Amino acid sequence: MNNVTIVGSGNWGSVAAKLIASNTINLRSFNDEVRMWVYEETLPSGEKLSDVINQTNENVKYLPGVKLGKNVVADPDLMNAVKNANLLVFVTPHQFMEGVCKRLVGKIRKDAEGISLVKGMEVKREGPSLISTLISNQLGINCSVLMGANIADEIAKEEFSEATVGYRRDKAAAERWVQLFNTPYFSVTSVQDVEGVEMCGTLKNIVAVAAGLIDGLKMGNNTKAAIMRIGLKEMLAFSKLLFPSVKDSTLFESCGVADLITTCLGGRNRKVAEAFALNGGKRSFDELEEQMLKGQKLQGVLTAKEVHEVMVTRGWVDMFPLFKAVYEISSGFLPPTAIVEFNNNIPHHIKNKL
Ligand SMILES: NC(=O)c1ccc[n+]([C@@H]2O[C@H](COP(=O)([O-])OP(=O)(O)OC[C@H]3O[C@@H](n4cnc5c(N)ncnc54)[C@H](O)[C@@H]3O)[C@@H](O)[C@H]2O)c1
Ligand SMILES: O=P(O)(O)OC[C@H](O)CO
């Protein structure tokens, strides 16, 4: 019998719990209960978030107004949450994953399998690492990924959307993940390209920041489409430089172009970047994130910084003018208007490739 634990309980983590819980209750090979690790916090009422989730069946902070399913159990104790699970779903903001993995070393079942819903990468002196690789290396488990055009609040309302599972070798494991997530309103397919799927999910957050800047500068759809096109090209080129095995076809899955579109139209990175540009860059992303997202976390600004670090180390900076511009603007080195000016400074031989 399969036991599922979700490691994370933010906006997307809570929706993942709802999707999975609606399936485990109907599928014979899964125990009904879905355990969800909650990074514990005290609410303004003085109550603990995990207690309130268990009393109301709602994540009142990160997904208010949505019932998760009676078989979802919130657990603030990470070790207790994972100890019986053979299926681990990782879904915290990427900056917390290293710390979470360190705590889990030696604490999970030997036969556990993982899937990462985390969009982001880790950059160390030794080089960049996918979050799925971090999980695999630290915990010694196989780890697939699930990414897609998935604004959590829309899926919570059961509006139709799609997602892509990326797997390394084990097709049977991928199919089990598809079975666990797929619902009539959440259509999941799988591709054998972990790197391609995960790099798409990671890099689209940088392009989303660029799209938000365009909105804040009150520029129109043509400009935003241009930014998305250039962004898509940079996503593919950067992914392939890091991982030559990445398949072009992966960009046509939900994790690729569809996620790029939704995130540039309606995501949190876009929203906060719009406010940043509207304020002429006078209020930092950190300040705006705290004020606008109520505890939810942005991934795009940190990812732009991490990707920039990789580009500097490897001598790639001039090859990725859009990624570079997002990093320089979000770090305060350039004004928001530089998001369209970068185009004039691209050397001709590189411009031809964009
Ligand atoms: N929200 C979406 O629409 C969406 C959709 C697809 C993928 N994602 C991705 O899912 C991942 C998780 O995002 P989310 O939206 O579920 O989270 P979120 O941004 O809504 O919430 C932040 C979460 O981080 C937790 N947290 C705060 N400090 C922590 C710490 N020190 N250690 C561990 N956890 C801590 C909070 O308790 C909260 O659960 C991200 O990589 C994101 O890009 C999000
Ligand atoms: O709200 P964002 O910008 O973090 O994007 C959310 C999802 O990744 C969209 O698929």
Side-chain angles (χ1 to χ4, degrees):
M1 202 58 117
N2 293 298
N3 291 321
V4 187
T5 287
I6 299 172
V7 178
S9 55
N11 188 232
W12 183 220
S14 301
V15 176
K18 173 175 154 46
L19 286 166
I20 291 171
S22 72
N23 281 329
T24 56
I25 210 147
N26 291 318
L27 295 168
R28 281 209 185 157
S29 53
F30 294 87
N31 269 324
D32 289 358
E33 181 184 292
V34 176
R35 214 150 255 270
M36 180 173 78
W37 173 62
V38 173
Y39 179 78
E40 190 66 290
E41 51 192 294
T42 306
L43 299 171
S45 61
E47 297 163 291
K48 297 286 184 206
L49 177 59
S50 61
D51 289 339
V52 176
I53 295 174
N54 286 330
Q55 283 153 19
T56 62
N57 197 228
E58 259 182 60
N59 188 336
V60 291
K61 174 152 183 188
Y62 294 101
L63 191 67
V66 177
K67 295 291 176 199
L68 300 179
K70 290 264 184 304
N71 47 332
V72 175
V73 176
D75 190 339
D77 180 339
L78 182 59
M79 308 315 153
N80 191 56
V82 299
K83 72 175 188 227
N84 293 325
N86 65 316
L87 297 177
L88 296 168
V89 178
F90 294 93
V91 57
T92 78
H94 79 279
Q95 58 269 41
F96 303 131
M97 276 306 299
E98 193 187 9
V100 167
C101 284
K102 277 196 177 132
R103 292 177 62 194
L104 288 178
V105 174
K107 303 287 195 269
I108 61 171
R109 270 172 57 167
K110 294 258 179 310
D111 63 345
E113 282 269 336
I115 191 163
S116 171
L117 278 50
V118 181
K119 292 177 176 172
M121 69 198 302
E122 206 211 28
V123 179
K124 287 257 177 85
R125 198 172 296 157
E126 310 85 82
S129 166
L130 297 172
I131 298 296
S132 63
T133 308
L134 170 82
I135 294 167
S136 286
N137 289 349
Q138 294 230 8
L139 303 181
I141 61 174
N142 181 37
C143 190
S144 305
V145 297
L146 180 144
M147 312 270 146
N150 299 148
I151 291 179
D153 290 333
E154 297 179 16
I155 299 166
K157 286 189 263 174
E158 305 193 358
E159 295 172 3
F160 177 75
S161 67
E162 298 178 309
T164 316
V165 165
Y167 67 96
R168 223 168 271 287
R169 275 174 296 275
D170 191 346
K171 174 88 178 154
E175 285 312 312
R176 194 170 41 185
W177 291 119
V178 168
Q179 193 186 28
L180 190 62
F181 280 93
N182 195 68
T183 73
Y185 63 89
F186 193 65
S187 176
V188 187
T189 49
S190 65
V191 296
Q192 190 173 10
D193 185 6
V194 169
E195 288 88 359
V197 173
E198 195 165 348
M199 286 307 294
C200 281
T202 298
L203 297 174
K204 65 85 186 171
N205 284 330
I206 306 179
V207 189
V209 172
L213 296 172
I214 297 299
D215 288 343
L217 293 168
K218 302 286 178 205
M219 292 177 182
N221 295 327
N222 294 339
T223 314
K224 199 157 159 184
I227 291 294
M228 287 160 73
R229 186 197 73 81
I230 296 167
L232 187 65
K233 285 257 193 177
E234 292 196 7
M235 284 166 59
L236 181 61
F238 188 84
S239 303
K240 284 196 161 196
L241 274 176
L242 267 192
F243 302 103
S245 65
V246 166
K247 297 173 182 165
D248 290 357
S249 56
T250 299
L251 273 89
F252 293 97
E253 301 294 336
S254 178
C255 62
V257 70
D259 195 8
L260 181 69
I261 293 170
T262 201
T263 208
C264 289
L265 298 182
R268 299 168 296 187
N269 286 288
R270 187 219 66 82
K271 183 175 157 179
V272 177
E274 179 184 40
F276 179 83
L278 278 171
N279 283 288
K282 291 195 184 69
R283 297 179 65 200
S284 72
F285 271 93
D286 282 351
E287 189 188 342
L288 291 165
E289 174 187 66
E290 196 170 326
Q291 187 206 331
M292 297 175 73
L293 296 188
K294 303 186 179 106
Q296 295 186 32
K297 298 285 179 200
L298 279 187
Q299 307 291 284
V301 170
L302 184 55
T303 302
K305 186 167 180 275
E306 290 161 341
V307 163
H308 188 261
E309 215 174 304
V310 176
M311 298 191 312
V312 169
T313 314
R314 305 206 173 193
W316 296 347
V317 174
D318 288 341
M319 298 165 71
F320 299 98
L322 181 68
F323 289 171
K324 176 174 179 250
V326 171
Y327 162 70
E328 290 180 337
I329 295 165
S330 57
S331 303
F333 303 138
L334 289 176
T337 46
I339 197 60
V340 281
E341 287 155 10
F342 78 90
N343 206 30
N344 303 327
N345 303 324
I346 308 173
H348 206 66
H349 67 284
I350 290 171
K351 200 165 188 170
N352 285 342
K353 290 190 186 155
L354 291 173

